[in-house]
């Protein structure tokens, strides 16, 4: 690689979006409460509800989408007897990449009696998008979980056609340490 190519690659890498959220929730006197919230980079989490029942977490990508070379991570730990519902503020858009994959890593842990609902809005892939997603969920023996993810190839109403894309979507769901999906 020439010095000019190396400089261009370094500039490209420096302009990539990075973001992570880590949160931990626990049941306190019959209500789910935030125990720890960590945000970094362009990924945020908001908690719009204040009523009874499951705590609602809404993730927001302030970068406005995902492009090649971007890296995002989300981790949630649901304590014993706690209930958490996770969604997104908007559909996530994955734009074309001229090289590197966009990477999204999700890690979920749900303790005994915990409940987790994971229902983000759809992920929209544009032509020549490159997405590598890793999804790991560890559930206690009597935890309950609802996981739903939708991937949309372009927006037909906008006349978008996806002719090429690369998607590597690796899911691992374990219950009491045993791989179930």
């Amino acid at each position: 690689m020439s010095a000019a190519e190396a400089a261009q690659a370094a500039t490209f890498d420096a302009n990539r979006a990075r973001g992570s959220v880590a949160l931990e929730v626990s049941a306190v006197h019959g209500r789910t409460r935030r125990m720890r919230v960590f945000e970094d980079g362009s990924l945020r989490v908001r908690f719009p509800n204040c009523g009874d029942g499951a705590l609602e977490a809404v993730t927001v990508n302030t970068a406005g989408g995902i492009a090649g070379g971007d890296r995002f991570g989300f981790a949630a730990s649901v304590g014993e007897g706690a209930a958490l519902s996770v969604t997104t503020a908007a559909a996530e858009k994955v734009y074309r990449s001229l090289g590197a994959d966009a990477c999204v890593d999700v890690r979920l842990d749900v303790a005994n009696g915990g409940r987790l609902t994971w229902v983000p809005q759809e992920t929209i892939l544009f032509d020549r998008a490159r997405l590598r997603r890793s999804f790991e969920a560890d559930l206690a023996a009597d935890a309950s979980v609802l996981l739903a993810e939708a991937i949309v190839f372009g927006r037909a109403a906008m006349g978008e056609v996806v002719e090429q894309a690369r998607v590597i979507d690796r899911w691992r769901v374990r219950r009491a340490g045993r791989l179930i999906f």
Side-chain angles (χ1 to χ4, degrees):
M1 177 182 295
S2 72
E5 290 170 328
Q8 184 179 19
T11 300
F12 177 81
D13 188 52
N15 286 300
R16 301 305 354 124
R18 306 277 192 262
S20 63
V21 165
L23 65 111
E24 181 180 329
V25 300
S26 295
V28 178
H29 303 297
R31 295 184 66 180
T32 300
R33 301 280 189 210
R34 294 173 277 178
M35 304 308 287
R36 184 176 75 90
V37 177
F38 171 82
E39 300 173 323
D40 185 47
S42 61
L43 200 57
R44 299 285 180 252
V45 63
R46 298 297 176 253
F47 302 91
N49 69 334
C50 57
D52 292 333
L55 182 65
E56 183 180 10
V58 179
T59 62
V60 179
N61 177 3
T62 63
I66 300 176
D70 291 354
R71 294 194 63 87
F72 294 97
F74 182 89
S77 176
V78 179
E80 192 169 319
L84 177 66
S85 177
V86 180
T87 190
T88 55
E92 191 62 79
K93 296 167 198 73
V94 182
Y95 299 106
R96 76 181 177 121
S97 173
L98 300 176
D101 293 345
C103 296
V104 177
D105 297 309
V106 177
R107 176 87 179 125
L108 307 171
D109 291 293
V110 186
N112 284 320
R115 295 186 328 256
L116 173 67
T117 302
W118 178 269
V119 288
Q121 293 189 44
E122 66 273 12
T123 299
I124 302 171
L125 296 179
F126 288 84
D127 193 39
R128 295 189 283 164
R130 295 175 60 107
L131 175 64
R132 180 184 304 266
R133 182 168 56 184
S134 173
F135 194 98
E136 299 273 342
D138 284 308
L139 314 173
D142 67 345
S144 65
V145 65
L146 169 66
L147 305 172
E149 283 270 358
I151 296 179
V152 177
F153 294 91
R155 298 175 295 184
M158 302 296 286
E160 297 166 358
V161 176
V162 176
E163 293 181 1
Q164 289 183 2
R166 174 184 162 130
V167 178
I168 298 172
D169 202 13
R170 192 189 101 196
W171 286 58
R172 299 287 185 268
V173 180
R174 294 175 184 82
R175 178 176 298 283
R178 191 177 126 252
L179 186 65
I180 59 173
F181 181 82

